[in-house]
Amino acid sequence: MVTAMERRLGEMLVKDNIISKEDLDVALSKQESDNASLGRVLVEMGLASEWEMAAAIGKQLNVPFITLSHYEIDRQVIESIPEEIVRKYKIVPVDKTGDTLTVALSDPSNIYLQDELRLLTKCKIIPVISFESDIMEAINHYYSGNGGSNFEEMLKDITDQDMEVMQDDIVEFQTEDSTMEDEDLSVDADDAPVIQLVNLIISEAIKAGSSDIHIEPYEKTLRLRYRIDGVLQEMTPPPKKFQNAIISRIKILSELDIAEKRLPQDGRFKVRINNRNIDFRVSTCPISNGEKVVIRILDQGNLMLNLEDLGFDARILTTFNEQIHKPWGMVLITGPTGSGKSTTLYSALSTINDNRKNISTIEDPVEYQLRGINQVQAKPEIGLTFAAGLRSFLRQDPDIIMVGEIRDLETAEIAVRAALTGHLVLSTLHTNDAPSTINRLTDMGVEPFLVTASLIMVVAQRLVRRICSNCKEEYSPTVEILNSIGIEAKDGQKLFRGEGCHICRGTGYKGRVALYEIMTITDHLREMVIDGATTIQLKQAAIQEGMESLRMAGINKIIEGATTVEEVLAITVADNK
């Protein structure tokens, strides 16, 4: 039965844009049939993370959140509640002062449980909220003595002699599991400790919403960092003595040569966690103190294919949709590595994909599988380059072609030719803004009249971190801050920033939003290109025709309260007057 409290919790999550109204209806229906808590159902369905649920429940009930791994709980406190009660209700006693007992619960709305604990312990119960996974780790640690799953506890009893045994186990593990399509990240007590450790590193990165894992060896230490919302954050590193074993384990998962330590290697593997498949791209590179490993996490569950969710304002979304629905022409997405170009391309393809169109892509690598689209992995080492793939596509009766990146004149010329012969071509290019894309193509050697005849739209984009909704606060900026970004100072002007909380790990930011600069190629701009106009002249003309620059888009997001002045200043430049 759905309680009024759970319904209010769901409505709060919808209001904070964590889930949609449709998601809530499905979750409530499932919760009623499964007789489980709404929070647990949302997490299991992948609609919300443990972080988001803990923040929402804590906000609703005004209950503080704690991370149990940050505490060393006294043995007498642990013994205040019997193990069978702790395991039955998934709770952990945290502190006892006089006749007041603080207890960590994943669902502090359960007042009946609190009453039962009060009668059992003869103490006043103070609830605090914690993740259910953290609670179970603490229970296993304090009540069974198996140490949970953190690095120090898992590995403190492993000796150097054990390392040789683990290396043998790893090689044998590859032989046994080499035919499996997906690796299983669940930790088994019988696994070699280094297998548990690598699984832990990967699973914690996924929980944190990381896009990349960096494992870097130094002379006396091993460094572990996760890239979260575009920024690298330091994590507790594993001991230096596990360096070679960790790297070997990752190489085996990726089917790389564990004996080759002098040359860079690239590989990939797939795991299944929380009932979804996640792809990983692995790159190793020899450095002075060993091999650095970078693992890119490609979680299709986090892929946003809805253009509205990416950060498009209503006006530019209309323009973008008009251009990508044209029957022919070339659309280019530009920006530096990591600016979300691939996500925008995938979203555009998903928007225009239907059964009446033949869509083919050539990518390096294929990051996400899209249903109904023919995706080809480029393999330059055997001659399957972007240019070769494009030539092949033109003999495959295509309607829409996507090229991962235009890197050279040959690829650019074939893409232009395809656009001129009745195909819609989408691709990416590395330029600083939309107007400079035209001069980049001409610098490659493409004739200006071919560029103007084929190009219909250029989109430049950047990603900025979004202010954490849990700790978002209003403040009055100084005139200097407003002038630095180009916002006209007004009396009572208010902006927003994140104070920093457990949800955003103290950064003040949670998630990212894109800034877009969309330049449609008008007849006037075509004439300017033929006449040899500079990038600055093209940008000024495009702005006069209604183009919103990256800086302008950033200012709008600041005023809306989506991001901060500091974020926009870091990734955009002022417009030339």
Side-chain angles (χ1 to χ4, degrees):
M1 179 179 177
V2 180
T3 66
M5 184 173 292
E6 285 179 314
R7 191 170 293 278
R8 285 197 299 272
L9 172 63
E11 291 169 354
M12 180 188 298
L13 294 171
V14 172
K15 183 179 179 182
D16 291 342
N17 294 320
I18 295 173
I19 61 173
S20 66
K21 181 65 169 63
E22 293 75 18
D23 289 339
L24 176 60
D25 292 339
V26 172
L28 287 173
S29 176
K30 182 175 175 57
Q31 181 240 350
E32 195 160 10
S33 62
D34 293 357
N35 195 26
S37 70
L38 177 62
R40 176 48 43 198
V41 168
L42 288 170
V43 171
E44 288 177 351
M45 292 177 66
L47 299 175
S49 67
E50 284 191 305
W51 281 103
E52 291 165 332
M53 289 309 307
I57 294 172
K59 180 179 177 182
Q60 182 189 33
L61 301 175
N62 196 26
V63 174
F65 172 89
I66 69 168
T67 302
L68 287 172
S69 59
H70 294 175
Y71 292 82
E72 186 63 37
I73 305 174
D74 187 87
R75 175 55 54 185
Q76 288 184 332
V77 175
I78 290 296
E79 292 173 351
S80 63
I81 300 179
E83 180 175 353
E84 58 269 22
I85 298 294
V86 165
R87 290 193 177 278
K88 179 180 178 181
Y89 295 110
K90 297 178 182 177
I91 59 174
V92 173
V94 177
D95 181 68
K96 187 175 183 182
T97 304
D99 61 352
T100 300
L101 181 65
T102 302
V103 180
L105 313 92
S106 61
D107 182 13
S109 64
N110 191 339
I111 57 176
Y112 302 108
L113 172 59
Q114 295 180 40
D115 286 341
E116 185 173 336
L117 292 175
R118 178 173 53 80
L119 294 172
L120 175 69
T121 61
K122 308 294 191 237
C123 292
K124 177 184 177 183
I125 302 299
I126 303 295
V128 294
I129 190 169
S130 187
F131 297 152
E132 184 174 314
S133 57
D134 284 354
I135 290 174
M136 293 310 299
E137 286 181 7
I139 290 172
N140 291 331
H141 171 56
Y142 289 108
Y143 288 90
S144 298
N146 67 5
S149 64
N150 61 70
F151 296 156
E152 294 82 358
E153 294 296 335
M154 181 197 295
L155 303 171
K156 65 181 180 181
D157 296 325
I158 300 174
T159 64
D160 292 334
Q161 184 178 1
D162 293 329
M163 288 294 293
E164 299 301 322
V165 177
M166 284 191 294
Q167 289 288 359
D168 293 339
D169 287 343
I170 290 171
V171 176
E172 185 178 340
F173 184 84
Q174 180 198 22
T175 304
E176 292 175 355
D177 292 355
S178 59
T179 60
M180 292 177 62
E181 179 183 355
D182 303 334
E183 293 290 348
D184 187 357
L185 277 189
S186 59
V187 175
D188 191 283
D190 295 329
D191 283 344
V194 75
I195 295 177
Q196 299 183 46
L197 177 54
V198 171
N199 291 354
L200 178 66
I201 290 171
I202 294 171
S203 60
E204 287 300 313
I206 294 170
K207 287 180 185 178
S210 171
S211 62
D212 299 86
I213 302 170
H214 289 242
I215 301 172
E216 303 160 285
Y218 291 92
E219 184 177 0
K220 295 182 179 179
T221 60
L222 194 60
R223 190 184 197 189
L224 176 64
R225 294 190 290 175
Y226 294 161
R227 187 176 294 279
I228 302 172
D229 293 335
V231 178
L232 283 171
Q233 297 184 21
E234 294 271 358
M235 300 294 160
T236 303
K240 172 72 173 177
K241 66 180 180 179
F242 290 97
Q243 172 181 315
N244 292 334
I246 290 171
I247 294 171
S248 293
R249 170 63 181 163
I250 293 171
K251 282 185 171 183
I252 285 167
L253 288 173
S254 313
E255 298 183 348
L256 301 179
D257 184 356
I258 63 173
E260 179 56 75
K261 300 181 180 181
R262 302 165 299 169
L263 296 173
Q265 297 187 69
D266 296 311
R268 63 189 306 155
F269 65 94
K270 182 186 291 184
V271 302
R272 186 168 181 80
I273 186 169
N274 292 337
N275 296 318
R276 69 182 193 271
N277 293 331
I278 301 175
D279 289 302
F280 297 83
R281 289 210 320 259
V282 177
S283 174
T284 68
C285 182
I287 60 176
S288 57
N289 294 293
E291 291 179 279
K292 175 177 177 176
V293 177
V294 177
I295 304 174
R296 167 64 58 88
I297 302 173
L298 302 172
D299 184 357
Q300 190 142 358
N302 291 335
L303 179 63
M304 290 188 297
L305 297 180
N306 189 326
L307 292 171
E308 288 85 348
D309 294 337
L310 295 178
F312 280 100
D313 293 329
R315 182 178 63 84
I316 63 173
L317 178 58
T318 300
T319 301
F320 187 85
N321 271 320
E322 286 175 356
Q323 300 303 314
I324 64 175
H325 279 90
K326 287 189 174 179
W328 63 270
M330 185 160 63
V331 173
L332 294 179
I333 314 292
T334 79
T337 301
S339 59
K341 300 187 299 296
S342 295
T343 300
T344 300
L345 277 179
Y346 282 132
S347 300
L349 287 175
S350 295
T351 300
I352 59 182
N353 182 22
D354 67 43
N355 294 331
R356 296 169 297 176
K357 292 186 174 72
N358 176 23
I359 304 177
S360 297
T361 76
I362 181 162
E363 308 168 57
D364 186 17
V366 175
E367 295 189 0
Y368 299 103
Q369 298 286 341
L370 299 179
R371 184 178 178 84
I373 294 177
N374 310 297
Q375 295 174 266
V376 176
Q377 168 71 56
K379 297 178 181 177
E381 66 274 9
I382 61 171
L384 183 52
T385 60
F386 284 143
L390 263 174
R391 284 197 195 91
S392 174
F393 290 166
L394 292 175
R395 297 188 290 273
Q396 293 273 315
D397 184 31
D399 295 298
I400 300 168
I401 296 171
M402 192 270 269
V403 187
E405 183 181 347
I406 294 179
R407 298 174 178 171
D408 50 49
L409 175 59
E410 185 181 17
T411 306
E413 286 181 334
I414 300 172
V416 166
R417 192 183 314 140
L420 290 174
T421 53
H423 307 95
L424 181 66
V425 179
L426 293 83
S427 189
T428 69
L429 203 64
H430 289 283
T431 60
N432 291 328
D433 57 15
S436 61
T437 302
I438 294 176
N439 286 335
R440 175 64 58 84
L441 289 171
T442 57
D443 288 344
M444 281 184 176
V446 182
E447 293 291 341
F449 73 91
L450 291 176
V451 173
T452 57
S454 60
L455 195 60
I456 59 174
M457 178 174 66
V458 182
V459 179
Q461 70 178 79
R462 298 291 189 278
L463 292 177
V464 292
R465 290 185 290 174
R466 189 188 294 271
I467 299 172
C468 174
S469 59
N470 185 63
C471 61
K472 186 176 182 178
E473 63 176 9
E474 197 176 53
Y475 75 103
S476 299
T478 63
V479 174
E480 291 76 17
I481 289 177
L482 295 174
N483 289 339
S484 69
I485 194 69
I487 298 176
E488 182 180 351
K490 299 178 182 177
D491 292 338
Q493 177 76 56
K494 299 290 185 181
L495 298 182
F496 297 87
R497 62 190 173 193
E499 184 180 11
C501 64
H502 59 277
I503 298 294
C504 60
R505 298 173 180 262
T507 64
Y509 300 97
K510 182 66 175 176
R512 289 191 287 180
V513 64
L515 308 181
Y516 290 98
E517 174 180 286
I518 293 185
M519 183 176 78
T520 55
I521 310 303
T522 62
D523 290 340
H524 176 54
L525 291 178
R526 290 188 177 97
E527 291 175 3
M528 292 182 66
V529 173
I530 298 297
D531 293 339
T534 65
T535 296
I536 293 176
Q537 290 170 331
L538 288 172
K539 184 171 185 176
Q540 290 172 342
I543 290 175
Q544 289 175 359
E545 292 184 354
M547 183 186 82
E548 185 180 85
S549 70
L550 287 170
R551 176 57 66 88
M552 294 175 185
I555 290 172
N556 289 338
K557 294 299 181 188
I558 292 170
I559 294 173
E560 290 172 10
T563 191
T564 62
V565 171
E566 293 78 11
E567 281 291 293
V568 174
L569 284 175
I571 57 93
T572 65
V573 295
D575 299 317
N576 294 307
K577 301 297 184 181

